C-alpha cells in the first residue's frame, strides 16, 4: 500500500494484522462487484419504470409509511451491527451478543414487512408477470431482500461461531466481513428507497 | 492487536473514533432520510426539482454510510480501498447512465408501436 512495512515487533502479530487487511480488502472488492450487479438491476428498473402495460403504477402500489418503517429498521440495524463489531473487537460479550440480536430482530422486521408488501401486491394481481415495470421491481427489490435473508443466516452463523470458538483472529475476520456486507446492503437500500419508492410514488 | 499499530486499515476497521463515529453517522443518516421522505411528499417546492433533490440526498447519505459505517475515508491509510471504490463508482455510472442514455435515444428515434404493427401486416 504505502510501501511502509508494519513496525510491530512480533512477526506473527504483523502477519495477523496484514491478513485482516487483505481479507477486508478482498471482501471490499466482492462488495463492489455485488454493487455493480445491483446497478444493472437499477438500470433495468429505471428503463422499464414507465412500462406499466396499462397496469398499476408505483403511485397506486407503494405505501410510503411502510417503506419509512423498513428504512428505519435497516438503518438502525446497520448502527447496531457497527456496535456489534466494536463489541467483537474489544471482546465484550454483552455488547457483541446484544447488538447482534438487535440487528437480527431489525433485519427480520424489515424482511417481514417486505414479504407482506410483496404478498399484498401479488394478491391484487400486481405480480411480477403483470408488466415490465413490475418484473423489474420484483427483481431489484427481491434481490435486495434475498441478500438480507442471506445476511440474517450469516449473522446467526457468526453468533454461533463466536459462541463456540471465541474471539479468535479468524473468527474476527469473518465478523469484519459480515459487518461490511450488512453496511453495504444498507447502501443499496438507500438507492432502492430513493429510486423505486420515493421517485415512483411521486410521479 | 489494535489497528492503530498498523499503517494500513482494512475496510470497516475502527479508526480512532469508535462508537462516537457510529452515533454521528446514524444521526446524519436519519436526518438525510427524513429530508428525503419529506421532500418526496411535499408540495412546497417546484415539482420537477424533486427527483434531482432526492438523488443528491441519496448520494450524500451513501457518502455518510461509507465514511461513518464502512470507514472508507480519504486518509493516507485507505488509498487502496478508495481506489477500488472509485473504479466501482465509475462502472456504476457507466452502466446506469449509459443504459438510460441509450434507451432514451432508442425511444425517441423508434417508430411508434402502432405504426410498427401496421407495417407488419
Amino acid at each position: 500500500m504505502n510501501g511502509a512495512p508494519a513496525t510491530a515487533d512480533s512477526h506473527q502479530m504483523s502477519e495477523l494484522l496484514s491478513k485482516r487487511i487483505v481479507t477486508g480488502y478482498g471482501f471490499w472488492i466482492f462488495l463492489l462487484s455485488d454493487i455493480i450487479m445491483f446497478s444493472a438491476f437499477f438500470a433495468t428498473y429505471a428503463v422499464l419504470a414507465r412500462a406499466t402495460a396499462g397496469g398499476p403504477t408505483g403511485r397506486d402500489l407503494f405505501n410510503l409509511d411502510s417503506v419509512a418503517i423498513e428504512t428505519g429498521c435497516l438503518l438502525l440495524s446497520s448502527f447496531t451491527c457497527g456496535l456489534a463489531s466494536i463489541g467483537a473487537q474489544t471482546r465484550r460479550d454483552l455488547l457483541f451478543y446484544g447488538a447482534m440480536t438487535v440487528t437480527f430482530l431489525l433485519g427480520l422486521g424489515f424482511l417481514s414487512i417486505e414479504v407482506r408488501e410483496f404478498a399484498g401486491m401479488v394478491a391484487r394481481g400486481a405480480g411480477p408477470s403483470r408488466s415490465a415495470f413490475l418484473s423489474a421491481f420484483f427483481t431489484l427489490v427481491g434481490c435486495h431482500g434475498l441478500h438480507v435473508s442471506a445476511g440474517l443466516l450469516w449473522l446467526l452463523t457468526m453468533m454461533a461461531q463466536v459462541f463456540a470458538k471465541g474471539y479468535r483472529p479468524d473468527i474476527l475476520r469473518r465478523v469484519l466481513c459480515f459487518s461490511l456486507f450488512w453496511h453495504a446492503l444498507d447502501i443499496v437500500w438507500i438507492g432502492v428507497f430513493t429510486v423505486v419508492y420515493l421517485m415512483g410514488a411521486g410521479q | 492487536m489494535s489497528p492503530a499499530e498498523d499503517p494500513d486499515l482494512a475496510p470497516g476497521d475502527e479508526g480512532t473514533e469508535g462508537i462516537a463515529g457510529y452515533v454521528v453517522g446514524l444521526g446524519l443518516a436519519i436526518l438525510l432520510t427524513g429530508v428525503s421522505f419529506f421532500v418526496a411528499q411535499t408540495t412546497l417546492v417546484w415539482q420537477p426539482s424533486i427527483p434531482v433533490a432526492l438523488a443528491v440526498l441519496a448520494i450524500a447519505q451513501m457518502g455518510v454510510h461509507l465514511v461513518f459505517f464502512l470507514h472508507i475515508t480519504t486518509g493516507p491509510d485507505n488509498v487502496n480501498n478508495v481506489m477500488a471504490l472509485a473504479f466501482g463508482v465509475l462502472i456504476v455510472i457507466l452502466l446506469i447512465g449509459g443504459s438510460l442514455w441509450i434507451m432514451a435515444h432508442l425511444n425517441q428515434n423508434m417508430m411508434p408501436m402502432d405504426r410498427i404493427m401496421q407495417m407488419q401486416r
Side-chain angles (χ1 to χ4, degrees), chain A residues 48-91:
Chain A
L48 296 176
R50 286 162 206 279
T52 52
T57 61
R59 189 191 273 256
D60 305 327
L61 293 170
F62 300 151
N63 173 8
L64 283 190
D65 291 338
S66 70
V67 177
I69 298 173
E70 282 179 292
T71 306
C73 280
L74 217 54
L75 183 56
L76 281 176
S77 82
S78 210
F79 174 70
T80 56
C81 176
L83 295 186
S85 71
I86 291 181
Q89 278 173 27
T90 54
R91 295 166 165 68

Side-chain angles (χ1 to χ4, degrees), chain B residues 89-108:
Chain B
V89 169
L90 172 72
I91 301 293
V92 167
I93 289 173
L94 286 179
L95 224 158
I96 296 181
S99 299
L100 285 175
W101 189 23
I102 291 170
M103 294 308 286
H105 270 251
L106 205 62
N107 272 345
Q108 207 170 16

Side-chain angles (χ1 to χ4, degrees), chain B residues 23-88:
Chain B
V23 174
V24 172
L26 180 69
L28 286 173
I30 289 177
L31 183 72
L32 288 167
T33 307
V35 173
S36 282
F37 275 83
F38 171 75
V39 164
Q41 298 175 80
T42 186
T43 51
L44 285 173
V45 296
W46 188 52
Q47 295 298 308
S49 70
I50 287 179
V52 181
L54 287 175
V56 171
L57 286 164
I59 292 169
Q61 197 181 341
M62 286 175 189
V64 167
H65 281 238
L66 283 173
V67 171
F68 291 99
F69 292 164
L70 285 146
H71 307 294
I72 306 292
T73 58
T74 52
D77 47 11
N78 229 321
V79 176
N80 281 356
N81 298 334
V82 174
M83 290 307 284
L85 173 68
F87 182 66

Side-chain angles (χ1 to χ4, degrees), chain A residues 95-171:
Chain A
L95 186 58
F96 175 73
Y97 289 112
M100 284 296 251
T101 309
V102 175
T103 307
F104 179 81
L105 292 177
L106 288 168
L108 202 64
F110 169 86
L111 265 189
S112 67
I113 296 172
E114 183 159 86
V115 166
R116 201 144 28 106
E117 183 198 8
F118 282 8
M121 286 171 72
V122 172
R124 285 175 60 181
S129 57
R130 177 61 187 86
S131 64
F133 154 66
L134 283 165
S135 301
F137 168 83
F138 277 95
T139 311
L140 172 61
V141 183
C143 186
H144 179 268
L146 277 182
H147 275 73
V148 173
S149 317
L152 288 179
L153 289 179
W154 191 0
L155 189 157
L156 292 179
T157 314
M158 288 331 299
M159 282 176 83
Q161 289 201 329
V162 169
F163 181 74
K165 301 174 182 177
Y167 299 106
R168 283 191 342 216
D170 56 340
I171 306 295

Side-chain angles (χ1 to χ4, degrees), chain A residues 3-20:
Chain A
T7 50
D9 294 333
S10 152
H11 175 69
Q12 201 183 2
M13 190 159 126
S14 73
E15 195 172 288
L16 277 176
L17 278 174
S18 66
K19 200 159 187 183
R20 182 177 169 83

